[in-house]
Amino acid sequence: MDNTINKNDDFINHTPMMQQYLKIKQNYLDMYVFYRMGDFYELFFNDAIEVSKLVSITLTTRGRSTENSIPMAGIPFHAADQYFAKLIKLGKSIVVVDQVGLNDNGTMDR
């Protein structure tokens, strides 16, 4: 399965939450996007695969993209600074997407 996100991908078959994540990710294709969901910052697709290896966190899945599971990895928000620091020391760039409220469609304002 190709876990690469492209600028012109169509996300219509995803949940509203995943559509929101993918639209944000399109603006930061060369950075790891940490997307806040409750008490965790989650990563998806290639971000999840790569970061799980770089900082030794568990790689799992969430939902499906076409017929394939979506790779997912996460870190607790209260421990995020240590993971962010590790990645920055490795020369990686990150984007932190936090929750600020609820949209009319049920997704979080970010």
Side-chain angles (χ1 to χ4, degrees), residues 55-70:
V55 297
S56 300
I57 57 176
T58 301
L59 180 64
T60 186
T61 61
R62 176 190 176 92
R64 302 186 76 67
S65 178
T66 60
E67 64 274 350
N68 300 302
S69 297
I70 298 170

Side-chain angles (χ1 to χ4, degrees), residues 28-42:
Y28 304 99
L29 294 174
D30 59 338
M31 298 180 187
Y32 297 125
V33 174
F34 286 83
Y35 184 88
R36 178 83 180 258
M37 293 179 58
D39 290 339
F40 288 82
Y41 284 107
E42 304 288 359

Side-chain angles (χ1 to χ4, degrees), residues 90-103:
L90 291 170
K92 307 301 180 183
S93 297
I94 64 169
V95 173
V96 178
V97 181
D98 224 327
Q99 304 170 171
V100 295
L102 194 61
N103 284 321

Side-chain angles (χ1 to χ4, degrees), residues 11-94:
F11 307 127
I12 195 80
N13 295 323
H14 290 280
T15 64
M17 183 284 307
M18 189 57 69
Q19 287 177 17
Q20 185 181 45
Y21 165 81
L22 290 166
K23 287 175 185 173
I24 293 167
K25 178 63 181 169
Q26 282 182 317
N27 294 316
Y28 304 99
L29 294 174
D30 59 338
M31 298 180 187
Y32 297 125
V33 174
F34 286 83
Y35 184 88
R36 178 83 180 258
M37 293 179 58
D39 290 339
F40 288 82
Y41 284 107
E42 304 288 359
L43 301 117
F44 302 98
F45 298 98
N46 277 347
D47 285 6
I49 294 167
E50 293 173 18
V51 170
S52 69
K53 293 175 186 173
L54 290 170
V55 297
S56 300
I57 57 176
T58 301
L59 180 64
T60 186
T61 61
R62 176 190 176 92
R64 302 186 76 67
S65 178
T66 60
E67 64 274 350
N68 300 302
S69 297
I70 298 170
M72 179 182 83
I75 57 171
F77 80 94
H78 59 81
D81 288 347
Q82 70 183 358
Y83 290 100
F84 297 162
K86 267 185 173 180
L87 289 166
I88 291 166
K89 282 183 183 177
L90 291 170
K92 307 301 180 183
S93 297
I94 64 169

